[in-house]
Amino acid sequence: MSYIAHAARHGITGPVLTVVAAGATLVMLSSCGDGGSGTRDEGVASLVTPSTTAGRTADPDAGHVRIRLDDNQQDINRLWDAWSHCLQEHGVPAGRKAPADSPALKTCESKYPLQPAEMDPASNPRYGDGVRAMVKCMNGHGIKSVVDDGNWGLVSGDSLNRPDYDKYRVECQVKSFGNGG
């Protein structure tokens, strides 16, 4: 199931969904990680590669995991799946939205993936520039995109099915919203 379906199922819509769709699932990796060592064995004796959870930034106030600009769709899906799995473990049936007063929401709060900080209009004063650069970059790769209500969006959902969509989305996102973008 896509992150869009996860987000929509849990009441996330509008600009947040657009940003999640543009960028947003690695909590599962955090919960099933490497035992906290920060590294994993990739089968190369001379290299120690940071785990996929290393470098995750957490909101210091809430302890949330944060989606990174360079996360691919598989990474984002894992984050959303881990949050959904936590909710299910705490009594929220699969495919159901947790009630606002559900203890499961509080218990699983830290697993709720936040959008990349660079893609938060409230914390990025260059957000509008990033949106315009994102649209230009995606269009440059033949993926018809527009600025929609201050966020970037696709002209057609058919673009999501392109075999290279995720590659270009990540590339454009890092270029458009990353440092110096």
Side-chain angles (χ1 to χ4, degrees):
M1 178 174 287
S2 75
Y3 64 93
I4 295 171
H6 283 292
R9 190 174 65 211
H10 295 289
I12 303 165
T13 58
V16 172
L17 181 56
T18 301
V19 171
V20 169
T25 313
L26 289 182
V27 172
M28 180 175 249
L29 292 176
S30 297
S31 65
C32 300
D34 57 13
S37 70
T39 62
R40 65 176 179 221
D41 181 2
E42 293 290 339
V44 178
S46 62
L47 293 176
V48 177
T49 306
S51 77
T52 50
T53 58
R56 291 270 159 214
T57 56
D59 179 344
D61 297 323
H64 287 272
V65 66
R66 189 173 290 280
I67 296 167
R68 296 184 325 204
L69 283 176
D70 62 348
D71 281 342
N72 63 36
Q73 192 57 53
Q74 189 176 18
D75 295 333
I76 295 167
N77 288 344
R78 280 198 281 287
L79 283 171
W80 284 109
D81 289 346
W83 181 65
S84 294
H85 181 73
C86 182
L87 291 175
Q88 289 171 28
E89 285 182 334
H90 292 90
V92 177
R96 291 270 175 89
K97 183 177 176 182
D101 62 346
S102 170
L105 286 177
K106 184 70 174 161
T107 301
C108 299
E109 181 177 16
S110 66
K111 293 186 184 235
Y112 182 85
L114 298 175
Q115 63 188 330
E118 301 90 342
M119 295 185 73
D120 180 357
S123 64
N124 181 356
R126 295 188 55 239
Y127 179 77
D129 295 337
V131 167
R132 288 183 292 281
M134 182 75 177
V135 167
K136 182 177 179 182
C137 183
M138 293 294 278
N139 284 328
H141 289 294
I143 300 171
K144 302 272 187 219
S145 301
V146 294
V147 175
D148 182 29
D149 198 25
N151 299 295
W152 84 272
L154 298 171
V155 171
S156 168
D158 293 341
S159 295
L160 293 168
N161 297 322
R162 285 183 56 166
D164 53 358
Y165 171 80
D166 195 42
K167 171 186 160 198
Y168 291 136
R169 181 197 53 80
V170 171
E171 177 185 306
C172 290
Q173 197 165 272
V174 169
K175 179 180 174 184
S176 301
F177 291 97
N179 294 336

